Amino acid sequence: MTRRKKLFAAAIALPIAVAVGVGLKVRRASSDTLGADACDKDLAAVFEVCEAGGAICEKPPAGQEEACQAGCVMSRCPNHVACTELDPIWCKPCEDERGALYWRTLDEADSHCGGPPPFGSLARLKEYSDCYIADVERRCPALKDKPKWYLPPDRRQ
């Protein structure tokens, strides 16, 4: 191959390689979960991932969607949220379902216990449930005194 043909081939191959590489990076970025630096670089993206109806705050009880989102954000970015008078959701105690700390506790216990099992495994469901309740109550001892805190509010009676 002559030098001219090699240069021509390189001139065509380089832009194609760059286009393929950029395409893969964009596709990978859209499917990835939040990176370790998301709290510093794009806190809005963390709030978006934690939105009610998403994978983390899938179905919180009515009226608790905002608290669930706040707890999810608090769990992922603890150094970026604080108790302020501007938004009391960050200041409520761990046993208050309308506060971020309650939902952070649930989120962290869920992660600690490996998440609920898929359908069909009653033994694994019992194991997860026991782990989850014990871990939440360890993180927030005030919940031990709250009967059936682990049930949705409308099912506690």
Side-chain angles (χ1 to χ4, degrees):
M1 198 179 222
T2 66
R3 181 181 159 111
R4 186 177 218 178
K5 287 181 182 177
K6 287 180 185 176
L7 286 174
F8 180 75
I12 290 175
L14 187 59
I16 291 172
V18 169
V20 169
V22 169
L24 290 174
K25 185 174 183 178
V26 169
R27 191 173 332 117
R28 191 177 325 118
S30 66
S31 66
D32 277 352
T33 58
L34 296 172
D37 60 351
C39 297
D40 293 324
K41 293 185 176 181
D42 194 2
L43 192 57
V46 179
F47 273 88
E48 195 174 301
V49 164
C50 292
E51 258 180 343
I56 299 163
C57 288
E58 191 174 349
K59 295 178 186 174
Q64 295 178 9
E65 298 88 355
E66 190 177 323
C68 183
Q69 180 184 33
C72 171
V73 171
M74 184 184 262
S75 180
R76 281 145 187 78
C77 302
N79 298 327
H80 292 75
V81 295
C83 175
T84 67
E85 293 176 14
L86 298 174
D87 193 350
I89 202 166
W90 306 103
C91 304
K92 297 187 184 302
C94 66
E95 70 272 14
D96 189 335
E97 299 168 346
R98 297 165 298 157
L101 190 54
Y102 174 84
W103 290 95
R104 173 189 178 174
T105 302
L106 299 185
D107 184 39
E108 290 176 351
D110 181 65
S111 293
H112 172 78
C113 296
F119 292 108
S121 175
L122 291 178
R124 173 66 182 105
L125 181 61
K126 170 110 175 72
E127 180 184 305
Y128 168 77
S129 180
D130 291 346
C131 173
Y132 179 77
I133 291 170
D135 196 58
V136 169
E137 289 178 349
R138 181 186 59 77
R139 293 170 191 266
C140 181
L143 284 173
K144 287 181 184 178
D145 300 329
K146 193 173 181 180
K148 299 184 181 180
W149 60 264
Y150 45 85
L151 293 176
D154 61 333
R155 292 185 49 211
R156 289 187 191 141
Q157 278 69 310

